[in-house]
Amino acid sequence: MITIMDAMRDPNLFGRWFRNPESWAAWTIFLSVLFGLPIDPAGAELLMQCTGRAALPTTAFSEAWLICGRRGGKSITLALIAVFLAVFKDWSGKLVPGERGTVMIIAADRKQARVIFRYITAMLMETPLRDLVDGVPTQEKIDLINGLSIEISTANFRSVRGYTLVAALCDEIAFWQGDDSANPDSEILSALRPAMTTTRPDAMLLCASSPHARTGAMFDAYQRYFGKEDAPVLVWKASTRTMNPSVPQSEVDEAYERDAAKASAEYGAEFRDDVETFVSREKVDACVVPDRTELLPTPGITYVAAVDPSGGSSDSMTIAIAHREGDRAVLDYVEEWVPPFSPEQVVREICDTCRRYGVNTIVGDRYAGLWPRERFQVNGITYEVANLSRSDAYLTMLPAVNSARIELLDHSRLIAQLCALERRSARSGKDSVDHPRNGRDDVINAAALALVAAALTSQGSAENWIEYLRRQIVRAGLDVDDVRASGREFGFNFNAAEPEKVVNIALPSCITAGTIEVVGRSYVTKYRDGGPPYIELRCDYAVSLLQESPVWREANAALAASLLRGATA
């Protein structure tokens, strides 16, 4: 008896459709497992990867679910299976006189079903099998002289009834109507299975699709059977390049750049989970400053730098620089070096950038042990291991993203990688965040570490007092540090009252009314009926002024007593 592998390799049959054996190697393993044929150790390793099983199945399968990325070769493989089952399997013992068995190709609509049907027609009419065709094929049906027909149908639970099915091949089932429609996928499958009752156990139900949402029949089958050793149903899950390595990696990378969440499903064969997405695109867009690609170094601002190191062969190396403005984190600079590159040269370039922003310490993960620390130290920059893992950095950053307390650069890869992050919950209850399978997070990892280190971690009272004393030294002329006035912009204050509350400050008699400058800003004098001239100051600015100037304290004795008592508290 001829096997499906024999038919696939025979140049007189289907060899022309599978000319490059290397690009079809993964499919030969899938077909061997599906039809219960022996496989070699290399095939066993791929089987375990794509099925989650630790042991090889011992029998063929009558039901299988193929979860595969787009352009992986699903359509032509389904056509091969359809022709093989219709021509090379003997169904005479399953059919009574006058009964016609059907191999049914089902898709969301007839136009989509014809993609597979064209392959089927060519495999029959352009090989010696044309002698088995009874009459002239139509666009939707081919009758064979052995009592079998190959026919296309739409995903409608009413239209699939009344047939004796020897096989049902459901194409792109993840995109059929859901449970809220008149033709849910579960109802269609319920109508198909009884149609195979008299042709079992040889009848086959094969459902194939690139994945979509974490709902529907395909996701249910994945949850129920994937990785289960003795499951009677085969679930095979593989990315596009796993099944078809001839698809250029650059094409996959470009798809991830355009829309990483979508590409992870279409090329990475990962189910999308819009409900549990780490962060929504709308929230990210609210943080992006349009057309801002870089902020140049500004004197008086303290910057933080972070790096995602790489060896230069497969992953990118990235640097991100950020600073704090009040309770906001601002991303100033991002750069990515795409492999291949010289790690030594990239480290030198990163260190030059750090010096340009006045940064002498950079944070990163524990990549490659001591190598990053040594290389950065040689170039005059201290490399410190971040206190947070990348997952913890993402989780720390999330509230600030959701509340728009972050200013992001208009950087396409940064945005795409942030939107593609996935959040998973372990059995322990702890959440973890990471990029999707076959995805990247080199750019967003460095950016998250920089933003978190710059402004999104809590600053304790000790750090506040150190900053306060540093400012006193500056004001006393003992340091030449360029520093801005205290207040909300600087990131801390000692005022117990609301910092943005406005108070009226009376002018001392020695100061002429008009436009005056206090706490580094200009104010226009105002007047009240019968009272002295005054200016309006934010509460935290007023505290700074009254702390530093005895003249202003004397003119506002009651207010000073109230505000400075709150500041002391």
Side-chain angles (χ1 to χ4, degrees):
M1 291 182 62
I2 187 171
T3 68
I4 193 168
M5 301 309 304
D6 297 330
M8 181 181 185
R9 293 164 178 159
D10 191 331
N12 294 317
L13 290 174
F14 311 126
R16 287 185 298 149
W17 284 268
F18 305 96
R19 281 190 288 256
N20 185 353
E22 291 183 359
S23 66
W24 293 100
W27 284 111
T28 63
I29 303 304
F30 168 75
L31 292 171
S32 297
V33 175
L34 180 63
F35 285 91
L37 303 176
I39 58 176
D40 58 23
E45 183 177 348
L46 180 66
L47 177 145
M48 294 174 186
Q49 171 189 329
C50 296
T51 66
R53 298 176 182 235
L56 302 181
T58 57
T59 60
F61 290 90
S62 60
E63 181 176 335
W65 293 76
L66 176 58
I67 308 168
C68 180
R70 295 183 66 180
R71 295 192 61 191
K74 295 189 299 296
S75 296
I76 194 170
T77 303
L78 291 179
L80 170 68
I81 294 171
V83 174
F84 177 79
L85 292 174
V87 172
F88 294 103
K89 290 281 277 188
D90 181 9
W91 302 98
S92 59
K94 304 289 185 180
L95 304 173
V96 300
E99 186 179 21
R100 179 166 284 273
T102 301
V103 174
M104 186 173 286
I105 312 299
I106 309 171
D109 55 48
R110 280 180 164 76
K111 184 178 180 180
Q112 191 174 50
R114 289 192 188 109
V115 174
I116 297 175
F117 195 74
R118 291 190 190 101
Y119 284 122
I120 293 172
T121 303
M123 289 178 176
L124 287 170
M125 301 305 293
E126 298 179 20
T127 66
L129 300 179
R130 71 177 68 90
D131 296 335
L132 299 178
V133 177
D134 185 9
V136 179
T138 69
Q139 290 186 344
E140 297 184 359
K141 185 178 180 182
I142 300 175
D143 290 330
L144 304 177
I145 61 176
N146 63 355
L148 270 291
S149 295
I150 302 176
E151 186 174 340
I152 66 174
S153 180
T154 57
N156 186 308
F157 75 91
R158 293 183 177 89
S159 64
V160 299
R161 294 176 180 271
Y163 288 85
T164 298
L165 297 180
V166 300
L169 282 64
C170 305
D171 188 32
E172 296 297 343
I173 189 173
F175 295 90
W176 291 5
Q177 300 289 343
D179 291 338
D180 56 347
S181 73
N183 285 290
D185 49 10
S186 57
E187 286 295 324
I188 298 170
L189 293 174
S190 296
L192 289 174
R193 289 189 170 101
M196 301 180 185
T197 302
T198 58
T199 55
R200 290 191 183 278
D202 296 323
M204 179 178 292
L205 173 63
L206 178 57
C207 303
S209 180
S210 54
H212 187 50
R214 294 178 178 254
T215 58
M218 174 162 273
F219 185 64
D220 180 66
Y222 171 72
Q223 286 190 306
R224 185 175 300 183
Y225 301 118
F226 186 82
K228 306 295 175 59
E229 297 300 330
D230 299 323
V233 174
L234 174 66
V235 176
W236 184 281
K237 181 173 178 289
S239 66
T240 296
R241 280 182 47 82
T242 297
M243 303 308 293
N244 184 7
S246 66
V247 174
Q249 180 64 49
S250 59
E251 180 178 324
V252 177
D253 291 340
E254 288 175 7
Y256 273 95
E257 282 192 35
R258 290 191 299 269
D259 189 333
K262 187 175 182 179
S264 68
E266 296 197 339
Y267 289 93
E270 295 293 335
F271 286 97
R272 296 187 68 166
D273 191 347
D274 296 331
V275 176
E276 296 178 8
T277 297
F278 175 65
V279 63
S280 70
R281 181 63 186 246
E282 291 76 15
K283 294 294 186 182
V284 174
D285 287 343
C287 296
V288 175
V289 181
D291 300 324
R292 178 191 287 179
T293 58
E294 176 183 354
L295 288 175
L296 297 177
T298 301
I301 294 180
T302 301
Y303 293 97
V304 173
V307 63
D308 187 358
S310 165
S313 59
S314 57
D315 294 333
S316 298
M317 184 179 285
T318 56
I319 179 181
I321 295 177
H323 75 276
R324 178 175 185 153
E325 289 190 6
D327 61 349
R328 300 175 63 81
V330 179
L331 189 61
D332 298 86
Y333 182 86
V334 168
E335 188 167 358
E336 177 185 17
W337 289 263
V338 179
F341 56 80
S342 166
E344 299 281 348
Q345 176 62 31
V346 170
V347 169
R348 287 195 292 270
E349 294 179 24
I350 289 176
C351 291
D352 290 341
T353 300
C354 288
R355 283 187 283 270
R356 191 156 58 91
Y357 281 84
V359 174
N360 54 25
T361 300
I362 195 167
V363 296
D365 58 24
R366 298 183 182 276
Y367 172 84
L370 295 175
W371 178 85
R373 294 176 232 188
E374 293 176 351
R375 289 298 89 201
F376 277 91
Q377 190 64 50
V378 167
N379 289 276
I381 299 295
T382 301
Y383 183 99
E384 292 184 353
V385 176
N387 294 327
L388 299 176
S389 67
R390 69 175 63 193
S391 176
D392 290 337
Y394 296 146
L395 291 169
T396 303
M397 183 178 68
L398 180 60
V401 174
N402 287 335
S403 59
R405 290 190 294 109
I406 283 181
E407 292 183 12
L408 295 175
L409 298 176
D410 196 349
H411 190 287
S412 60
R413 285 178 66 83
L414 170 79
I415 297 168
Q417 290 181 10
L418 175 55
C419 292
L421 291 175
E422 296 180 344
R423 185 173 190 163
R424 300 180 179 90
S425 296
R427 292 183 179 180
S428 63
K430 182 178 180 180
D431 285 355
S432 65
V433 181
D434 203 351
H435 60 74
R437 185 176 297 179
N438 298 322
R440 308 273 186 183
D441 68 347
D442 313 292
V443 179
I444 187 57
N445 181 36
L449 286 175
L451 290 165
V452 168
L456 301 179
T457 50
S458 300
Q459 183 166 306
S461 59
E463 287 83 358
N464 282 336
W465 278 111
I466 290 172
E467 179 62 22
Y468 172 75
L469 293 173
R470 187 184 72 82
R471 291 183 184 183
Q472 300 309 308
I473 294 173
V474 172
R475 294 185 178 106
L478 303 177
D479 196 344
V480 294
D481 209 358
D482 186 5
V483 67
R484 292 178 294 172
S486 64
R488 189 175 180 83
E489 289 86 350
F490 216 107
F492 80 94
N493 65 75
F494 293 94
N495 183 19
E498 298 180 23
E500 293 186 354
K501 180 181 178 182
V502 176
V503 294
N504 297 333
I505 304 291
L507 265 64
S509 58
C510 60
I511 296 179
T512 304
T515 300
I516 61 174
E517 184 170 322
V518 294
V519 291
R521 292 168 175 78
S522 297
Y523 296 90
V524 177
T525 303
K526 297 184 178 183
Y527 296 88
R528 63 168 62 92
D529 294 339
Y534 69 96
I535 58 174
E536 291 181 346
L537 281 183
R538 262 178 38 174
C539 191
D540 49 351
Y541 296 163
V543 169
S544 297
L545 177 64
L546 297 175
Q547 284 177 329
E548 297 174 5
S549 173
V551 174
W552 284 87
R553 280 202 305 273
E554 183 177 348
N556 297 271
L559 179 62
S562 173
L563 288 181
L564 297 184
R565 181 168 57 250
T568 304

